[in-house]
Amino acid sequence: MKKTKILMVCLGNICRSPLAEGILRSKLDSDAFEIDSVGTGYWHVGDPPDSRSVKVGLKNGIDISDLIGRQLSKEDFVDFDYIYVMDQNNLEDVLEKASSDEQRRKVVMILDTVFPGEKVDVPDPYHGTKEDFERVYEMLDAACTKIAEQL
Ligand code: 4NP
């Protein structure tokens, strides 16, 4: 059976989307689901996740230390069934790269799962504090719980 493929997207693919990838993976059966993450930007291609994301993940039993940054590609719109973005900027950047309505329909703001229609961002914690990363973790955990329930 073909696996359902889910892609998490943020700007750098080092703070938010690798955490979302790890959290959702922990809630779904790997025989049925494949989960990946990418950035809209190219700066951190080949890099491991930010150490603050790795730390908050480990604190909650999720190890994302072996993930490697990559950038969103045109093929991702074909390969993946669901594409979750972290904020409005990601949404604009991702929709700009899509090439059909079918592809655009795959793209959803991740917190729409918790606050439908409210367009709530998962704030970029890159220039923030440890507490900002903890808040991001909680938001992503709530969203991934909803996603796992809905799938
Ligand atoms: P992320 O955070 O999008 O959650 O991975 C960022 C990481 C790096 C940069 C921006 C956001 N940066 O500009 O390098």
Side-chain angles (χ1 to χ4, degrees):
M1 201 188 76
K2 191 188 164 292
K3 290 188 188 188
T4 300
K5 296 183 70 170
I6 302 150
L7 187 65
M8 300 295 188
V9 185
C10 63
L11 177 59
N13 192 211
I14 56 168
C15 297
R16 293 165 293 176
S17 62
L19 256 186
E21 174 183 347
I23 294 169
L24 187 62
R25 185 173 290 133
S26 76
K27 296 181 192 288
L28 292 174
D29 178 359
S30 61
D31 289 339
F33 296 95
E34 199 173 310
I35 301 137
D36 196 6
S37 64
V38 292
T40 55
Y42 60 86
W43 314 283
H44 297 287
V45 169
D47 289 352
D50 187 287
S51 61
R52 296 163 295 177
S53 281
V54 173
K55 262 194 203 134
V56 76
L58 285 176
K59 200 171 140 186
N60 290 279
I62 308 244
D63 185 359
I64 59 165
S65 60
D66 61 350
L67 301 184
I68 295 169
R70 77 172 178 91
Q71 189 179 18
L72 178 69
S73 73
K74 288 261 179 201
E75 292 75 51
D76 289 325
F77 290 95
V78 179
D79 289 347
F80 287 86
D81 303 294
Y82 300 94
I83 300 174
Y84 288 103
V85 300
M86 302 294 136
D87 63 29
Q88 302 257 15
N89 288 329
N90 304 153
L91 184 66
E92 282 171 25
D93 292 341
V94 170
L95 290 177
E96 206 166 280
K97 218 165 182 174
S99 43
S100 68
D101 284 342
E102 187 195 350
Q103 293 184 0
R104 281 183 278 274
R105 275 195 295 273
K106 296 180 178 184
V107 186
V108 175
M109 295 259 296
I110 194 165
L111 285 181
D112 272 8
T113 56
V114 184
F115 308 107
E118 292 187 35
K119 298 196 169 95
V120 182
D121 288 346
V122 179
D124 183 349
Y126 188 54
H127 296 289
T129 63
K130 181 168 158 270
E131 287 69 35
D132 293 317
F133 278 79
E134 286 178 350
R135 210 165 300 129
V136 163
Y137 182 91
E138 295 305 326
M139 289 175 168
L140 293 176
D141 190 50
C144 289
T145 297
K146 287 279 184 191
I147 293 168
E149 279 168 14
Q150 286 165 8
L151 285 169

